[in-house]
Amino acid sequence: MFLRSNERLLIGRDAADAARLACERISSAFDGTGDERFVALAGGSTPKLLYSLLSAPPWVASSPWQRIHWFWGDERQVAPDHPESNYRMAWEALLSPTQVSSDHIHRMPADAADIGRAGLEYERLIQERVPPGPSGIPAFDLVLLGVGPDGHTASLFPDTPALDESQRLVVANFVPRLAAWRLTMTFPLLMAAREILFLVTGAAKAEIMARILASPPGPGADGKPCPAARFREANTSVSWVLDADAARLVAPTARL
Ligand code: 6PG
């Protein structure tokens, strides 16, 4: 089985080339005039290069910066100035260099005293600000995601309660393997996006990407389902943007 008609696999020579391919894809998602755009940013380390490219020539000139509202797909339970903060990484690499106005930056407050309540409040903010799609769920114009070696995406980790959430849009999720709480968007919200783009680079991701892009998708090395593989069933545009190292074990049939 090849990739579904709503999927595309883009392979860059290296991490920089993959980030450039992602910029091209993102730029087309921002096409069109007038209306505001709503984007959910990925965390972790991979997107830093992408964000730095987006905030520099030539891409900085092609994005409607003042019309985009920026949200986060997930956040660690740390302060916004913490080295591990997904907010801090995006602020430094993308939002500060492009001077995005503060009323367009919607930080996910996972450091709040009551993380469960913070998730509910962030969900309400999204419901108020992000226009609904055909399903009635707020539909981001673009959701950026990464993949962990265990197949997690956002903070939807294998064997965690958030995987089974079918109603809420943003929840607190305890991750035993990290012994840490996270805030994360859930599958219903992420799947409602008009465009989903995974950026995955590095040899450490080769095994999990081969499993996710197999036909049908396979389980992770621990035999558990890969949360990111659930997006193989998404009914929206899904781009898998990899570098050659991360794509090394992906079957040739998946590349057609
Ligand atoms: C996070 C991310 C997470 C990330 C993957 C990949 O907060 O950690 O949202 O889902 O995308 O863990 O992380 P790297 O890009 O650092 O490999």
Side-chain angles (χ1 to χ4, degrees), residues 219-231:
D222 56 6
K224 297 181 170 61
C226 292
R230 210 178 298 183
F231 288 89

Side-chain angles (χ1 to χ4, degrees), residues 76-192:
R76 292 89 181 269
Q77 195 173 30
V78 295
D81 61 353
H82 189 283
E84 288 296 307
S85 164
N86 288 338
Y87 166 84
R88 173 175 165 179
M89 185 271 283
W91 166 258
E92 291 176 345
L94 179 66
L95 304 177
S96 174
T98 51
Q99 298 176 332
V100 172
S101 53
S102 59
D103 63 350
H104 279 57
I105 298 174
H106 310 287
R107 184 177 76 87
M108 189 181 257
D111 57 324
D114 180 341
I115 192 170
R117 181 184 178 80
L120 201 55
E121 289 172 357
Y122 201 71
E123 173 172 324
R124 286 175 183 153
L125 170 68
I126 290 170
Q127 287 171 321
E128 287 163 13
R129 300 301 300 267
V130 183
S135 64
I137 297 173
F140 281 90
D141 295 288
L142 173 68
V143 165
L144 298 175
L145 291 169
V147 176
D150 61 359
H152 80 264
T153 188
S155 284
L156 300 167
F157 285 79
D159 265 349
T160 59
L163 294 186
D164 302 321
E165 179 56 57
S166 61
Q167 301 302 315
R168 291 288 307 279
L169 304 180
V170 179
V171 295
N173 194 31
F174 184 73
V175 185
R177 65 186 67 182
L178 301 176
W181 282 94
R182 297 282 190 92
L183 271 186
T184 186
M185 290 185 179
T186 59
F187 282 117
L189 179 56
L190 294 169
M191 293 276 192

Side-chain angles (χ1 to χ4, degrees), residues 22-23 33 47 49 54 72 79 89 97 99 111 117 125 131 141 195 223 244 256:
C23 284
T33 57
L49 180 54
L54 274 175
W72 277 258
M89 185 271 283
Q99 298 176 332
D111 57 324
R117 181 184 178 80
L125 170 68
D141 295 288
E195 171 100 27
L256 301 180

